[in-house]
Amino acid sequence: RDLGPASAAFRARCAAALLEKLHGLGLVNSRQSLAVCESLSAAAFCRRRLPCLLVKLRMAQNLRHAVTFVEQGHVRVGPEVVTDPALLVPRAVEDFITWVDASRLRQKVLDYNQERDDFDLAA
């Protein structure tokens, strides 16, 4: 904002890159202006942490249980098992948060929903 009119092209590129990065992380909803960056708070970053998203996706009842699930290795993001509860989850990867295949929690959820495969029962 303070660069001035002499560097308008540089300012536009930097603003577009910043807004694209913040939108990709899920911190802002629109890429239209830098005004949304001024209202960005630390709470927005905290809401993008993995345990907060587990509560939002209803995979855990509260934040304390979600942190425990992550630390014990019950959650994976994409193909990787995550044990760090401070992981910031980007918007593109948010849909790939699931239980680990060998997790006891996943088996309990499948049993409760009566969706467990017979092949899994034999193993």
Side-chain angles (χ1 to χ4, degrees), residues 16-74:
L18 176 65
L19 288 171
E20 183 64 33
K21 184 73 167 177
L22 293 176
H23 184 266
L25 284 174
L27 299 174
V28 296
N29 292 328
S30 66
R31 301 178 211 159
Q32 294 177 359
S33 75
L34 288 174
V36 295
C37 296
E38 291 177 357
S39 64
L40 195 62
S41 65
F45 285 93
C46 292
R47 284 190 298 267
R48 294 305 300 177
R49 294 177 67 208
L50 183 58
C52 293
L53 289 178
L54 288 177
V55 173
K56 179 181 168 186
L57 294 171
R58 298 181 145 196
M59 293 175 72
Q61 286 183 337
N62 56 33
L63 201 57
R64 185 177 51 147
H65 286 124
V67 169
T68 304
F69 294 159
V70 173
E71 288 175 344
Q72 291 177 352
H74 290 289

Side-chain angles (χ1 to χ4, degrees), residues 17 69 96 98 107 120:
F69 294 159
F96 299 106
T98 58
Q107 293 171 4
D120 291 338

